[in-house]
Amino acid sequence: MTTTDHTPTASAATHPAATHPAPTNPASTHPASTHPAPNRPASTHKPTTTPPLTTTTPPPDPHPQKLPLAGLLALATAVFITSLTETLPAGLLPAMSADLGVSESATGQTVTIYAAGTALTAIPLTAATAGRRRKRLLLMAMAGFAAANTVTAVSGNYTLTMAARFIAGVAAGLAWALLAGYARRMAPVHLQGKAIAIAMAGIPVALSLGVPAGTYLGKLLSWQVAFLVMTGLTLGLLGWIAALVPDHPGRPRGATPPMLRTLRVPGVTPVLFVTLVFVLAHTVLYTYIATYLEGLGMGGSTDLVLLVFGAASLLSIWIVGTLIHRRLRALTLAAVLLVGVAAAVLATLSHSPALVYAAVTLWGLGWGGAPTLLQTAAGDAGGDAADAAQAMLVTLWNVAMAAGGVIGGVLLGLAGTSSFPWTILLLLVPVLLVVVISRTHGFPARRTATDQ
């Protein structure tokens, strides 16, 4: 789905002159013309010149020193809707499959087609809309989600459902092309990382609350109701954005470096590689989590398992938001290792429901902060080309989502669900190696002052 210090600083400390004006000279408030001095010998009197009192109101600070929470929470809700729209079928595969008259593997491709729509459009839309005002683009993207989710809810035809999911993916390509940069521009430089963490919190909230709630609604009422609820949330968000999210202009023509040149910036390629393979490893299992749990005899606990995963993800993003400004490398290594340990437990000890829950908790702790870590790393590495690096990250993220749905479907047909954890372990080996060797650029041991 990007750069700077995340340590909160009080505005008084940042602008002491603005908040603690210099003391006024008492003499300047009582000029000699209003209080004549008594006659004194000329030899004892030396006139003094008192500078006139001037009152200057400091100009408004164009860079506010605190986070605009109302606007950032609206962006987080947009991230929530884009993430939930993408992953909602994961908890609804059996019911959707039955109603659409196709296999669960084919229904899993509703995630793939969505991701494909995003992957195909993120970079072109970033280039085409670079000069457009940000607020209008965000409103257009969210309106696209409302339309696509409505069509998905009322469609009983697999082909029409896939078309609606592709349109939703295109809307996501437009949204993801601007969301991280939007969050950065709404915050002061030293708080941009925290701003991104708040906006990206929509991802673990979607996983912790959205997918379990959608799964529960699917069981209680129908999967169609879950998608209609998404439409209602999106309509509410459109009003929120219109009222409380500040607008920002686009970038001047030629301000964004070409994509290929950005790939030559040190550190960008390692971050993009880690994004592609790490997201692929996660998606192979997550897309088919309901089917995987059915294979373990835990199909009735899908919503609870997803709730545990999401709660751990929320804790993860809080930890990442607190420490990322000085521990990005350590947090990234920890994320990869936690997901790896979780996969190892699922591969070898999945006969125990308690250990499955333990593994899912580790998985959530490793995965929850990953979007913030990877987007921050891309922004740090990209520097002046941060927007181009973000567009490529969004594209590869969704390429990985699409590929995860396809690979998971193939594995499901050829080797069954037990192959999913072993596939994750295999994919995480090169991810860990790249993070380890990219200690100078990409995932540096020490971030530079400009990054902080």
Side-chain angles (χ1 to χ4, degrees), residues 182-231:
Y182 210 154
R184 291 176 66 199
R185 295 173 71 179
M186 286 170 60
V189 171
H190 68 287
L191 293 177
Q192 285 178 350
K194 283 191 178 296
I196 294 169
I198 291 172
M200 292 303 108
I203 295 176
V205 171
L207 299 177
S208 63
L209 301 178
V211 176
T215 303
Y216 178 75
L217 279 176
K219 289 180 179 178
L220 184 65
L221 299 173
S222 70
W223 63 268
Q224 291 92 341
V225 170
F227 279 97
L228 285 175
V229 168
M230 292 292 297
T231 298

Side-chain angles (χ1 to χ4, degrees), residues 108-142:
Q109 303 316 305
T110 58
V111 175
T112 302
I113 195 71
Y114 177 106
T118 302
L120 290 171
T121 58
I123 289 178
L125 285 175
T126 297
T129 62
R132 305 289 181 89
R133 299 198 70 85
R134 305 290 92 183
K135 186 171 181 175
R136 182 179 302 173
L137 288 176
L138 184 56
L139 288 169
M140 289 173 56
M142 301 320 295

Side-chain angles (χ1 to χ4, degrees), residues 87-94 111 211 215 286-291 302 306:
T87 56
L88 187 56
L92 302 171
L93 280 185
V111 175
V211 176
T215 303
Y286 192 83
T287 301
Y288 296 94
I289 186 65
T291 306
T302 300
L306 290 173

Side-chain angles (χ1 to χ4, degrees), residues 2-6 184 192-193 196 265-268 271 324-326 328-329 372-387 389-390 441-444 446-452:
T2 244
T3 73
T4 67
D5 183 277
H6 316 279
R184 291 176 66 199
Q192 285 178 350
I196 294 169
V265 176
V268 170
V271 174
I324 190 172
H325 63 289
R326 58 183 185 273
L328 184 143
R329 176 180 175 80
T372 302
L373 290 169
L374 294 171
Q375 288 195 309
T376 303
D380 287 357
D384 291 339
D387 284 350
Q390 292 290 347
H441 300 288
F443 301 96
R446 184 178 297 276
R447 298 176 70 199
T448 63
T450 54
D451 295 333
Q452 298 174 3

